[in-house]
Amino acid sequence: VLSLINQQRGVETDLSQEIVVPLILGSTWPSRFWFVERYQETIKTLSERDRFVFLLVGGPSEAAFAEKVAEGCLNQQVVNLVG
């Protein structure tokens, strides 16, 4: 996972000072599927409290959704690993 994060960020990453939070975007139950805005709000709120790195995780069918989540979180540490 660290090599994927480094690849996406384009730099060597030391995660020893950061809290890594995987966010699994997909769900087989529509009632458990969050909106893009909910993910963005959660990421922004937690980022204000501590040093977090958010990993967007999911299958190929969530790729477009993950891009939308990441687009709204430009100032936060978000790594899109969906696909």
Side-chain angles (χ1 to χ4, degrees):
V1 171
L2 186 56
S3 64
L4 291 171
I5 294 170
N6 289 338
Q7 180 182 358
Q8 238 193 31
R9 285 182 166 181
V11 296
E12 287 293 317
T13 302
D14 175 17
L15 295 178
S16 64
Q17 301 299 316
E18 299 177 275
I19 301 167
V20 179
V21 179
L23 297 173
I24 302 168
L25 302 181
S27 175
T28 56
W29 297 354
S31 63
R32 293 189 177 194
F33 199 82
W34 275 18
F35 295 108
V36 169
E37 297 80 15
R38 299 278 305 272
Y39 281 105
Q40 291 171 341
E41 289 171 17
T42 300
I43 290 168
K44 288 175 185 176
T45 300
L46 290 175
S47 293
E48 292 170 357
R49 298 179 184 176
D50 211 331
R51 293 184 59 168
F52 287 92
V53 174
F54 299 91
L55 307 180
L56 303 182
V57 183
S61 62
E62 285 91 25
F65 185 81
E67 283 297 320
K68 290 179 184 175
V69 172
E71 286 173 4
C73 300
L74 298 178
N75 295 326
Q76 286 75 36
Q77 297 288 335
V78 176
V79 180
N80 185 352
L81 300 176
V82 172

